[in-house]
Amino acid sequence: MGVAAIDTANRNQVLIVEDDAHIRRFISINLINNGFVVSEAAFGGEAIQLFTANRPDVVVLDIMLPDADGFEICRQLREIEPAVIIVFLTARGQDLDKIKGLEIGADDYIVKPFNPLELVARINAILRRTETALKPQRSVIQSGPIRMDLNSNKVFKHDFFIELTPKEFQLVRTFLEHPDTALSRNELLNLVWGEDYVGDPKTVDVHVRKLREKIEDDGSNPHWIETVWGVGYRFRKDG
């Protein structure tokens, strides 16, 4: 399969990375029928080449690939383009695999067997939430040393740029827009992942832990993102 640039024509592009040709084609047909531009890869190396050439909006990524670990491919894709949406599609449904996938930057996790319409619905939901979260209503939101520039979609701490995944960006924005407010895990799921999200509430804890590592001076002793025992989390407004 050659590597060539694709004319996306203002449509969202999805890269499917799946070694099973039948499953890959099944997903592809459903995505195409729902208006997506689709490219396909059966191997990790091929996926990196296609991603670099076409820069898709979404990657549907199988963990078990013949030549690579899907977790490692996810890391490499995040290095190339931190803002890409990554959805793991795998037969491995254990909690530890889900947590690991979320920790390295996946936006969602779907376990085989699955309904292809659910996959399409989840991708559309993530795209809608990302578009809404990144749409500027005021140019800057700030609390303490944390500043979010909504024009450039960047977050800074003491004027130093912090590289975030799309979900981490939405989580920071939610915290900054609700300072000194105790938000439950369910509230954060609704605000960041959407009311239609059906995943594990542990997703919130995983993302908060990763976010603390990026914005706190000491992620194991957080100052800004406080744990509210029995409730969830609260972002301190000022020092």
Side-chain angles (χ1 to χ4, degrees):
M1 189 178 300
V3 177
I6 295 176
D7 180 10
T8 60
N10 297 319
R11 292 184 292 162
N12 290 115
Q13 184 186 347
V14 180
L15 170 61
I16 304 168
V17 188
E18 163 65 62
D19 62 305
D20 187 312
H22 176 72
I23 294 176
R24 191 172 65 247
R25 192 58 188 156
F26 187 49
I27 298 170
S28 178
I29 290 172
N30 279 276
L31 288 171
I32 290 171
N33 287 343
N34 282 274
F36 291 93
V37 174
V38 176
S39 54
E40 303 177 20
F43 301 94
E46 181 185 17
I48 297 297
Q49 290 181 326
L50 282 170
F51 185 85
T52 303
N54 298 318
R55 296 300 176 101
D57 305 286
V58 182
V59 177
V60 177
L61 177 61
D62 189 17
I63 289 180
M64 303 294 288
L65 297 170
D67 65 331
D69 179 359
F71 293 132
E72 178 57 33
I73 296 299
C74 179
R75 291 190 187 96
Q76 293 182 41
L77 295 179
R78 280 275 179 246
E79 289 178 1
I80 297 171
E81 177 50 71
V84 65
I85 294 168
I86 297 177
V87 178
F88 273 130
L89 181 67
T90 177
R92 297 165 60 173
Q94 293 87 348
D95 284 346
L96 288 178
D97 285 331
K98 293 180 181 180
I99 291 171
K100 182 177 180 181
L102 294 168
E103 283 185 332
I104 65 174
D107 294 282
D108 207 345
Y109 196 115
I110 298 180
V111 179
K112 302 174 186 174
F114 64 96
N115 184 328
L117 295 180
E118 179 188 356
L119 175 60
V120 172
R122 287 204 188 190
I123 290 174
N124 278 324
I126 295 171
L127 288 168
R128 284 195 303 271
R129 290 193 295 271
T130 301
E131 180 181 354
T132 300
L134 299 184
K135 187 182 297 181
Q137 297 178 4
R138 44 182 167 145
S139 60
V140 174
I141 308 175
Q142 183 161 357
S143 185
I146 310 301
R147 174 170 56 87
M148 173 174 284
D149 187 326
L150 296 174
N151 289 328
S152 63
N153 296 329
K154 292 181 178 180
V155 174
F156 302 86
K157 179 181 179 181
H158 296 302
D159 294 327
F160 289 96
F161 171 65
I162 303 173
E163 190 170 277
L164 301 176
T165 68
K167 200 63 66 184
E168 289 168 348
F169 184 95
Q170 294 175 51
L171 189 56
V172 170
R173 178 168 184 174
T174 299
F175 279 135
L176 292 180
E177 290 180 336
H178 300 81
D180 287 336
T181 302
L183 297 170
S184 70
R185 288 170 178 81
N186 284 335
E187 286 175 321
L188 288 169
L189 280 174
N190 289 337
L191 290 168
V192 178
W193 281 263
E195 295 183 1
D196 55 348
Y197 182 74
V198 294
D200 195 327
K202 293 178 183 176
T203 297
V204 173
D205 299 325
V206 172
H207 281 79
V208 167
R209 183 165 67 249
K210 297 296 290 184
L211 190 56
R212 281 171 167 168
E213 293 174 1
K214 295 183 178 183
I215 71 171
E216 299 280 2
D217 293 331
D218 180 1
S220 61
N221 186 28
H223 174 80
W224 296 104
I225 304 176
E226 300 177 314
T227 297
V228 182
W229 298 109
V231 180
Y233 299 97
R234 175 175 55 229
F235 194 91
R236 296 181 63 167
K237 185 174 182 179
D238 293 302

